[in-house]
Amino acid sequence: MSQIKFTLNGKSVAIDSNPLRRLLDVLREDFKNTGVKEGCGEGECGACAVLLNGKLVNSCIVPVGAIDGSEIVTIEGFRKTERFKIISDAFAEAGAVQCGFCTPGMIMATEAILSQNPSPTRDEIADGLSGNLCRCTGMNMIIEAVELASKNGGGK
Ligand code: FES
Ligand code: FES
């Protein structure tokens, strides 16, 4: 066990944990951030994506010991922002949500894209979403949603 301190959605937190536990499990079990989903559990689908110091990571392949001192933002925290509203409205308008399982990870990926590049091309969007899989809509509607979010002010 070690003490691990980090910032979760703007709040300082500390846990005593085996440092090898998956960040995904810590977020879901210890902090009830159940918007962070488990899909593949192998770093392939993006359902568990969160922002780690502003960068998109798959929390199923990050050991919690590696995030000591870092800043984590999950969909639970991002949901409270104006940018979330712009992005989620764009997803709804573009018809990019069906079962919704991939959506939290897609929204975090969208934020990671637009915070770096407010007006991405379709190729840049596709590239930014390449680690996120959707089994329902196909990627075209999701790419359109990101374009729409960018136009609607989701970029900076
Ligand atoms: S559950 Fe983490 S990438 Fe699929
Ligand atoms: S909406 Fe179902 S997996 Fe994407």
Side-chain angles (χ1 to χ4, degrees):
M1 292 291 247
S2 7
Q3 187 174 70
I4 297 151
K5 292 184 186 168
F6 58 103
T7 304
L8 176 58
N9 297 327
K11 279 195 197 137
S12 297
V13 296
I15 50 163
D16 288 311
S17 173
N18 175 340
L20 295 178
R21 277 178 77 210
R22 303 184 304 173
L23 175 61
L24 169 66
D25 297 325
V26 170
L27 292 172
R28 288 181 56 88
E29 292 163 11
D30 301 22
F31 294 101
K32 308 297 173 219
N33 277 219
T34 52
V36 186
K37 303 293 184 200
E38 174 155 18
C40 66
E42 297 177 348
E44 300 290 336
C45 75
C48 64
V50 300
L51 299 180
L52 166 59
N53 297 332
K55 272 191 64 188
L56 194 72
V57 296
N58 289 329
S59 61
C60 69
I61 52 168
V62 176
V64 70
I67 64 141
D68 193 42
S70 302
E71 194 173 319
I72 302 290
V73 178
T74 68
I75 193 75
E76 276 81 1
F78 188 55
R79 195 171 268 145
K80 298 183 183 134
T81 66
E82 188 53 32
R83 291 171 64 77
F84 169 84
K85 189 168 164 25
I86 293 168
I87 294 171
S88 66
D89 286 354
F91 270 65
E93 197 179 330
V97 180
Q98 285 187 28
C99 79
F101 188 78
C102 69
T103 309
M106 288 291 181
I107 286 182
M108 298 315 290
T110 303
E111 170 61 4
I113 295 168
L114 295 181
S115 63
Q116 297 294 313
N117 181 358
S119 304
T121 63
R122 274 184 88 84
D123 281 353
E124 286 167 341
I125 294 170
D127 197 47
L129 295 175
S130 60
N132 292 70
L133 300 179
C134 177
R135 288 175 182 82
C136 300
T137 63
M139 294 306 282
N140 277 344
M141 272 132 113
I142 295 172
I143 291 171
E144 272 162 37
V146 180
E147 282 186 311
L148 197 57
S150 165
K151 276 195 209 115
N152 292 349
K156 278 182 182 161

